[in-house]
Amino acid sequence: MPALPDAAVIDPMHSPEFQAGLLALRQDDRTAAVAAFTRAAGRFPMYSPVHANIGTLAGQLGHGALAMRCFQRAIAVEPGHAEVWSNFSSQLRRAGRDADAIMALKRALSLAPKHANALCNLGAVLFDAGQTARAEACFRQALALAPDHHEAAKNLGFALLRRGDLRTGFGWYEHRYGAAPLPAPVLDRPAPRWRGGALNGVSLLAVAEQGEGDSIQFVRYAKLVERSGGTLTMLCSPALKRLMARGDGVRHAVADGDRMPRIDAWTPLLSLPHLLGTDRGSIPGGVPYLHPAPEDAAAWRTQLSGVAGLKVGLVWAGNPTFGGDRQRSPRFAAVAPLLTLPGLHMVLLQVGDGRRDLAGHILPATVTDPGDRIRDFADTAAIMAGLDLVITSCTAPAHLAGALGRPVWIMLPFAADWRWMEGRTDSPWYPTARLFRQPAPGDWTSVVAAISAELQAVVAGRRSLDGLA
């Protein structure tokens, strides 16, 4: 009887090299996965998925040119592979080629009209382009085909939140843990995850899970926990710890490695809006809900007391590791014209990567740059307390100014983050915020021109900074 053919010889997917790549992926070792898939590609050069896998991983690791070559090879080998076209779209998006990404996804869907991943990816591109209704339709189509497609469910949550349907949107947003599970916090003794219900006497740990702006925005729910009979401990970044300790309803603020108080249950911070039943009419109101240390605020007021004109804080860039930072951050060159407007004294609140933009610039005498004196968000809060206005891009200081109840003008990209909703110049999250949106993608010139005109009206006494007047 002849020997049966070795599956590893005839089926590249079952080869030791390809399986080693999949194992490395399960272990979250992308470098090892690339090495294993590269060996598989050497053995099976006409197997399209292995080239696409290398392309996906190379793109995630920041090797854009290699990723492009691998996807082009994968498509040349098998141009009719829908999954490859769908994955190729993700790399095109990383390269800022959204129009090409849409073309790749349309190609994938022409090959496989019921391809849930391609529909989800197309929805994500459309969402980032500000086409929320079309994006929502794609996510719903993907979920109709694959009801447990957690990425599509999470993205549907984003679309609904941007449209202002907070109750339903936060419910769908809970699927983010299916897409990327959140590990339980390390505690002295195990505690269950809180999934709603009575809080009487419960010591609840809220775990920061997203950016620092999210932590600032959603720590407001500590007040609801307190009113429901519980106590809230906030687990946050070290840069937020001093600020969070002074938040309304926050019993304790801790960072990783700190000794924990007694904890009965824990929850991801951004699950609180869903668990506590948030809609537009039940957002925990009232600002300020964060407060600077009085002695720090007084010290900064003294330092700025001798300057003339309207005191305006300025931020122009967020964290560059955030996926959409290129769209949301105008950078210093775009906002520099504000520094020379008459009747103003600018205070630069920028920290981190955005400070590189100042290299080679000579700042006017009407500018104060605290520079490296800003150690954390508590310091930024203390400075903001003595300012008349904060102007900022969509980054953590925007939330901080709003949480402090300071007048804040927020510069938004054309397709703004979901929390600012659509078509609004105000925000139900921050009553002292005013939103300045790009009229077209990339058009910061119009945004800065509109802000300049409004600032001149304030200086001339034609416009008030109170609320949204």
mmCIF file of all heavy atoms in Angstrom, residues 310-326:
data_model
loop_
_atom_site.group_PDB
_atom_site.id
_atom_site.type_symbol
_atom_site.label_atom_id
_atom_site.label_comp_id
_atom_site.label_asym_id
_atom_site.label_seq_id
_atom_site.Cartn_x
_atom_site.Cartn_y
_atom_site.Cartn_z
ATOM 1 N N LEU A 310 -5.348 89.211 27.791
ATOM 2 C CA LEU A 310 -6.095 87.979 28.030
ATOM 3 C C LEU A 310 -5.097 86.822 28.134
ATOM 4 O O LEU A 310 -4.281 86.616 27.240
ATOM 5 C CB LEU A 310 -7.065 87.747 26.872
ATOM 6 C CG LEU A 310 -8.149 86.690 27.039
ATOM 7 C CD1 LEU A 310 -9.252 87.214 27.968
ATOM 8 C CD2 LEU A 310 -8.740 86.328 25.670
ATOM 9 N N LYS A 311 -5.158 86.078 29.227
ATOM 10 C CA LYS A 311 -4.209 84.976 29.434
ATOM 11 C C LYS A 311 -4.787 83.696 28.824
ATOM 12 O O LYS A 311 -5.827 83.197 29.269
ATOM 13 C CB LYS A 311 -3.918 84.805 30.924
ATOM 14 C CG LYS A 311 -3.135 85.970 31.524
ATOM 15 C CD LYS A 311 -2.710 85.702 32.946
ATOM 16 C CE LYS A 311 -3.832 85.945 33.942
ATOM 17 N NZ LYS A 311 -4.179 87.370 34.064
ATOM 18 N N VAL A 312 -4.084 83.182 27.810
ATOM 19 C CA VAL A 312 -4.603 82.065 27.018
ATOM 20 C C VAL A 312 -3.585 80.924 27.008
ATOM 21 O O VAL A 312 -2.435 81.104 26.610
ATOM 22 C CB VAL A 312 -4.891 82.497 25.564
ATOM 23 C CG1 VAL A 312 -5.430 81.315 24.753
ATOM 24 C CG2 VAL A 312 -5.873 83.664 25.537
ATOM 25 N N GLY A 313 -3.997 79.742 27.439
ATOM 26 C CA GLY A 313 -3.159 78.554 27.344
ATOM 27 C C GLY A 313 -3.254 77.943 25.958
ATOM 28 O O GLY A 313 -4.308 78.017 25.306
ATOM 29 N N LEU A 314 -2.179 77.322 25.494
ATOM 30 C CA LEU A 314 -2.152 76.803 24.125
ATOM 31 C C LEU A 314 -1.507 75.418 24.088
ATOM 32 O O LEU A 314 -0.430 75.203 24.650
ATOM 33 C CB LEU A 314 -1.378 77.761 23.216
ATOM 34 C CG LEU A 314 -1.324 77.406 21.723
ATOM 35 C CD1 LEU A 314 -2.717 77.408 21.109
ATOM 36 C CD2 LEU A 314 -0.410 78.369 20.973
ATOM 37 N N VAL A 315 -2.192 74.481 23.401
ATOM 38 C CA VAL A 315 -1.687 73.126 23.160
ATOM 39 C C VAL A 315 -1.945 72.793 21.696
ATOM 40 O O VAL A 315 -3.041 73.043 21.193
ATOM 41 C CB VAL A 315 -2.393 72.084 24.063
ATOM 42 C CG1 VAL A 315 -1.896 70.674 23.756
ATOM 43 C CG2 VAL A 315 -2.196 72.421 25.532
ATOM 44 N N TRP A 316 -0.964 72.202 21.016
ATOM 45 C CA TRP A 316 -1.106 71.972 19.571
ATOM 46 C C TRP A 316 -0.846 70.535 19.143
ATOM 47 O O TRP A 316 -0.940 70.220 17.959
ATOM 48 C CB TRP A 316 -0.171 72.897 18.800
ATOM 49 C CG TRP A 316 1.287 72.768 19.215
ATOM 50 C CD1 TRP A 316 2.204 71.857 18.785
ATOM 51 C CD2 TRP A 316 1.963 73.605 20.155
ATOM 52 N NE1 TRP A 316 3.413 72.065 19.404
ATOM 53 C CE2 TRP A 316 3.301 73.135 20.244
ATOM 54 C CE3 TRP A 316 1.587 74.715 20.934
ATOM 55 C CZ2 TRP A 316 4.253 73.730 21.084
ATOM 56 C CZ3 TRP A 316 2.535 75.290 21.771
ATOM 57 C CH2 TRP A 316 3.844 74.814 21.827
ATOM 58 N N ALA A 317 -0.517 69.645 20.066
ATOM 59 C CA ALA A 317 -0.210 68.275 19.646
ATOM 60 C C ALA A 317 -0.499 67.294 20.757
ATOM 61 O O ALA A 317 -0.350 67.602 21.944
ATOM 62 C CB ALA A 317 1.263 68.156 19.224
ATOM 63 N N GLY A 318 -0.903 66.086 20.359
ATOM 64 C CA GLY A 318 -1.147 65.014 21.310
ATOM 65 C C GLY A 318 -0.036 63.982 21.279
ATOM 66 O O GLY A 318 1.051 64.220 20.749
ATOM 67 N N ASN A 319 -0.335 62.830 21.815
ATOM 68 C CA ASN A 319 0.625 61.729 21.869
ATOM 69 C C ASN A 319 0.795 61.145 20.461
ATOM 70 O O ASN A 319 -0.168 60.659 19.870
ATOM 71 C CB ASN A 319 0.116 60.652 22.827
ATOM 72 C CG ASN A 319 1.101 59.531 23.036
ATOM 73 O OD1 ASN A 319 2.021 59.340 22.251
ATOM 74 N ND2 ASN A 319 0.902 58.760 24.090
ATOM 75 N N PRO A 320 2.004 61.144 19.906
ATOM 76 C CA PRO A 320 2.186 60.668 18.537
ATOM 77 C C PRO A 320 1.974 59.175 18.360
ATOM 78 O O PRO A 320 1.817 58.699 17.228
ATOM 79 C CB PRO A 320 3.637 61.058 18.211
ATOM 80 C CG PRO A 320 4.320 61.126 19.534
ATOM 81 C CD PRO A 320 3.281 61.611 20.497
ATOM 82 N N THR A 321 1.928 58.411 19.456
ATOM 83 C CA THR A 321 1.684 56.978 19.327
ATOM 84 C C THR A 321 0.212 56.666 19.111
ATOM 85 O O THR A 321 -0.137 55.546 18.737
ATOM 86 C CB THR A 321 2.176 56.221 20.573
ATOM 87 O OG1 THR A 321 1.427 56.644 21.718
ATOM 88 C CG2 THR A 321 3.662 56.486 20.814
ATOM 89 N N PHE A 322 -0.663 57.649 19.325
ATOM 90 C CA PHE A 322 -2.085 57.461 19.056
ATOM 91 C C PHE A 322 -2.295 57.377 17.547
ATOM 92 O O PHE A 322 -1.754 58.172 16.780
ATOM 93 C CB PHE A 322 -2.886 58.617 19.651
ATOM 94 C CG PHE A 322 -4.344 58.598 19.292
ATOM 95 C CD1 PHE A 322 -5.197 57.655 19.840
ATOM 96 C CD2 PHE A 322 -4.870 59.522 18.394
ATOM 97 C CE1 PHE A 322 -6.540 57.636 19.505
ATOM 98 C CE2 PHE A 322 -6.208 59.515 18.062
ATOM 99 C CZ PHE A 322 -7.044 58.569 18.621
ATOM 100 N N GLY A 323 -3.102 56.417 17.106
ATOM 101 C CA GLY A 323 -3.245 56.140 15.682
ATOM 102 C C GLY A 323 -3.693 57.314 14.838
ATOM 103 O O GLY A 323 -3.264 57.469 13.697
ATOM 104 N N GLY A 324 -4.566 58.164 15.377
ATOM 105 C CA GLY A 324 -5.085 59.279 14.600
ATOM 106 C C GLY A 324 -4.430 60.608 14.895
ATOM 107 O O GLY A 324 -4.988 61.663 14.570
ATOM 108 N N ASP A 325 -3.237 60.588 15.495
ATOM 109 C CA ASP A 325 -2.622 61.850 15.917
ATOM 110 C C ASP A 325 -2.291 62.755 14.735
ATOM 111 O O ASP A 325 -2.374 63.976 14.848
ATOM 112 C CB ASP A 325 -1.362 61.582 16.737
ATOM 113 C CG ASP A 325 -0.821 62.837 17.396
ATOM 114 O OD1 ASP A 325 -1.551 63.420 18.221
ATOM 115 O OD2 ASP A 325 0.305 63.249 17.071
ATOM 116 N N ARG A 326 -1.940 62.160 13.604
ATOM 117 C CA ARG A 326 -1.592 62.978 12.439
ATOM 118 C C ARG A 326 -2.774 63.839 12.001
ATOM 119 O O ARG A 326 -2.599 64.976 11.552
ATOM 120 C CB ARG A 326 -1.157 62.061 11.281
ATOM 121 C CG ARG A 326 -0.756 62.774 10.007
ATOM 122 C CD ARG A 326 -0.076 61.790 9.066
ATOM 123 N NE ARG A 326 -0.890 60.615 8.825
ATOM 124 C CZ ARG A 326 -1.836 60.541 7.881
ATOM 125 N NH1 ARG A 326 -2.067 61.578 7.099
ATOM 126 N NH2 ARG A 326 -2.530 59.440 7.710
#
